[in-house]
Amino acid sequence: MPMIAFKGLRGQLLGTMAVLLVILLAIFAAYWQGEEANHREMLSLSQSATEQLSRSELRRRGEHIAAELSAHLVPMLQEGDAAAINELVGDMVHHSNLRYLIVYDGNGRVLVSTDGLARSGQLMTDPLAAAVLQAGGRKEQWPNGLLEIAVPIEHTGQALGGLRVGLSYTGPDPGNAVIFEPIVRRLNANSLRHHLWIVVIVVVLLVVTGVYAVLLERRVFGPIRRLARLMQEDTPGSSQPLPELALRDDEIGELMQAFTRMRAGIAKHDREIRRLAFVDPLTGMANRLAFRQSLDDRLLTLRASHDELALLFIDIDDFKRVNDTLGHESGDEVLSQLSVRVRLVLEKFGAQAADIARFGGDEFIVLYLAKDIRAASARMAEALIVEIERPLAVGGRQVFLGASIGITLFPDDATHAGQLLKNADIAMYQAKVAGKNCYRFYSRALDRAVERRVQLEQDLRGAWSRGELSLVYQPIYQLADGNIVGAEALLRWQHPHLGMVPPVVFIEVAEQTGLIEDIGRAVLEQACKDASQWSATTAGKPFVSVNISPRQLRSGELPDVVSNALRSSGLIASQLHLELTETAVLVDEDQASALLSRVRATGVKVWLDDFGTGFSGLSHLRRVPVDGVKIDRSFVADLLRDPDDLALTTAIIAMAHSLSITVVAEGIESDGQCQILRERGCDQGQGFLFGRPMDAKEAARQFHA
Ligand code: C2E
Ligand code: MG
Ligand code: MG
């Protein structure tokens, strides 16, 4: 039996049984021993009784001989008749057992002896003879193999002599032993019976213990071990056959039934947990995990059937705005309303509800199977956009949203779930880049560009705090007298691997991802701080002009950001100019006008940058309150060659002056350009002709009076 078999409850019980068995066996062994000793003692008692009997018989005979002989010897001794004594003694010698006879006189001198050792006339020297003569009475002794009886021969109290009778003693008389035989037999039989009983009891005890141990093993320990194994191997949801143990009408059966109940409970909880793990609680749709699994399964069957499939990745545009402005509860409400709409569109297209999942905050993904999949999925995307575009009613307000949808096709674009999901994400990103609220199909050519862009976006996060972003300043001059009046702050990104990344590349990324809000705030603060160190020149206090992106304007926080930057730097408001592009202002003219009015009210000046490129028409200048315009460098570049550009530039200057606003020309590279702009009355200018963008230290030196 392996060692392990004696562990645990089983080991304790079997061990206790073994100890009890050993104790019982020891008791029986002791009893056996006692019985043996008893038996031996009885035998020796019977032997000594036989001996006693034989001795007393011999003694009686000796006494009888001695008494009879001594009575006959009295007259013979009185008369001194030695012949008669001899004759008498000779008659007696034939008595059985009689070994010798010695007759001696009152002085102890031997008269007759049948023993060859004692001669007539010799004195009896032994103490027994003397004792008899002196004290009288019968004396006896039992030397080896002999009974010696000495009696006085007396007459009227006077000792005439003595008689010694020697009888041979050869041990107990076999005749006497016969008397005890039945007793001994009885004793032996009893002892045997007792021994037999002990053997039987021990055997029965061993058998009962063995049977009990086997029963315990079969009925208790075995089933408990099986139950333990079953519990160990049991996993929720597995359908192991229920062992017959449950049918037992005892404690083990109860245990098994309890286990079965517990198992059912666990399985139920397991199902519940799985449901929670696979279902999005807000929309009741499958979640990313569940979708991924069903996509894997679907692709397996599709590979065999050669069918096509489309994945549509839907991202709600500017959903963050809903959360930020209306709160998260409204955000949830919007999402659940949108999920209903998406479901309805899917139903219209005959897709299954199970094929739609919520992937993250505002992302949904649809799995669509159809013939001519490209056209069908485009139709579905269009329908989804139309549905999502419809205003939503949330908390008594109308919310307008859009969706960017990326579509990827199986097996054209990819054959594996992971790659398909990545493609759909890239295509969605393309839709965002393309202006949002539209759909794009995944194309391999865009893949790399998007990847680079995604990488750039990741790198741009935290670039300011890592010190990779910095500001350079390009000086701006008064064209009439050539005096420096201010400088434009321009952002630079020294990428750790890519080197200098041009602002036209990364500003757009920052703009689209919303990173520009944080970066723009930092730029504004830094520019104000740097400019506060500049000294006044002959033209007065220099200004710093900071580029503001459309998104910064849209967020509505611009007036606060500006006043914070001014307060923390100590720069005077009139020393700060904000450059906004036409397009930024045009998106929502009313909001822009309101915000810019607030900013201008504090003394900060607002310029329209890249003026002329937006073809917005000069009429806007009347509606949007600005302090100046910057003629885009594309016009300045061709000023000398292209009469149209010259005409437009001249018109801009005239128009601006009629509105009393300043005109700045950018990108002046040659004297000719400078000359012609001065002639037309352009107020200020910047460009490589005067100076390239320079670092803050260099810029500060330019403003040293
Ligand atoms: P912008 O505001 O029109 O800036 C003027 C651009 O013209 C600058 O390019 C400047 O270096 C360049 N430039 C100046 N003089 C000359 C010249 O003589 N010849 C030529 N060929 N170019 C000249 P840059 O620094 O590459 O900036 C590009 C654009 O990036 C800026 O155009 C502006 O829209 C944007 N940007 C730069 N910094 C920031 C910023 O901090 N925030 C925001 N929102 N946009 C910025
Ligand atoms: Mg600018
Ligand atoms: Mg410009």
Side-chain angles (χ1 to χ4, degrees), residues 47-290:
Q47 266 168 11
S48 74
T50 313
E51 174 118 9
Q52 288 295 324
L53 207 61
S54 300
R55 281 182 185 237
S56 62
E57 252 178 34
L58 194 66
R59 184 183 295 115
R60 220 174 31 249
R61 260 215 341 266
E63 281 171 356
H64 177 74
I65 291 170
E68 205 170 303
L69 211 57
S70 63
H72 282 94
L73 282 170
V74 172
M76 294 173 190
L77 274 177
Q78 281 172 336
E79 287 164 20
D81 187 352
I85 294 172
N86 250 334
E87 193 180 334
L88 182 63
V89 168
D91 286 347
M92 293 301 286
V93 168
H94 307 295
H95 264 283
S96 61
N97 289 74
L98 189 69
R99 182 82 75 78
Y100 67 86
L101 282 172
I102 300 172
V103 182
Y104 48 93
D105 62 16
N107 299 320
R109 209 171 291 279
V110 175
L111 297 174
V112 176
S113 164
T114 61
D115 181 1
L117 296 170
R119 310 229 178 273
S120 321
Q122 270 183 353
L123 266 176
M124 295 290 280
T125 51
D126 67 315
L128 198 66
V132 167
L133 288 180
Q134 278 156 25
R138 186 180 60 81
K139 301 276 183 270
E140 68 173 58
Q141 63 182 17
W142 293 82
N144 243 356
L146 268 182
L147 167 63
E148 292 178 329
I149 296 175
V151 291
I153 303 168
E154 292 171 321
H155 183 70
T156 59
Q158 194 189 342
L160 303 174
L163 171 68
R164 169 85 64 93
V165 181
L167 292 156
S168 44
Y169 178 67
T170 52
D173 184 357
N176 287 336
V178 172
I179 304 168
F180 292 100
E181 227 165 56
I183 298 169
V184 170
R185 255 206 313 278
R186 185 74 172 270
L187 266 176
N188 282 341
N190 268 352
S191 165
L192 190 71
R193 206 172 54 244
H194 284 166
H195 286 167
L196 256 174
W197 268 116
I198 289 173
V199 169
V200 167
I201 287 172
V202 166
V203 168
V204 166
L205 215 61
L206 282 174
V207 169
V208 166
T209 311
V211 168
Y212 195 63
V214 169
L215 268 179
L216 267 181
E217 176 64 30
R218 285 220 180 138
R219 300 284 298 164
V220 182
F221 299 126
I224 287 176
R225 271 204 308 278
R226 274 175 57 203
L227 198 58
R229 233 186 352 260
L230 199 75
M231 284 173 172
Q232 263 171 13
E233 289 163 5
D234 196 49
T235 48
S238 77
S239 53
Q240 282 199 42
L242 269 189
E244 67 298 342
L245 296 179
L247 303 173
R248 275 173 57 165
D249 188 20
D250 58 9
E251 288 82 349
I252 298 285
E254 274 173 32
L255 202 63
M256 190 63 221
Q257 280 155 18
F259 170 61
T260 312
R261 274 196 300 277
M262 191 184 80
R263 203 171 177 232
I266 289 174
K268 194 169 145 243
H269 281 114
D270 187 60
R271 278 196 299 278
E272 185 65 13
I273 287 167
R274 270 168 196 272
R275 199 183 62 77
L276 287 176
F278 286 115
V279 173
D280 169 49
L282 179 67
T283 59
M285 291 174 173
N287 64 10
R288 184 185 286 264
L289 197 67

Side-chain angles (χ1 to χ4, degrees), residues 533-586:
Q533 308 297 316
W534 299 343
S535 320
T537 61
T538 41
K541 281 189 185 299
F543 63 81
V544 66
S545 123
V546 179
N547 292 287
I548 301 296
S549 92
R551 192 155 184 151
Q552 277 172 283
L553 184 64
R554 240 187 296 143
S555 81
E557 291 172 2
L558 190 65
D560 296 333
V561 173
V562 167
S563 62
N564 282 342
L566 287 174
R567 201 178 317 120
S568 64
S569 65
L571 193 74
I572 301 162
S574 61
Q575 281 186 280
L576 178 63
H577 293 185
L578 302 182
E579 294 188 13
L580 289 136
T581 55
E582 268 179 284
T583 40
V585 177
L586 283 179

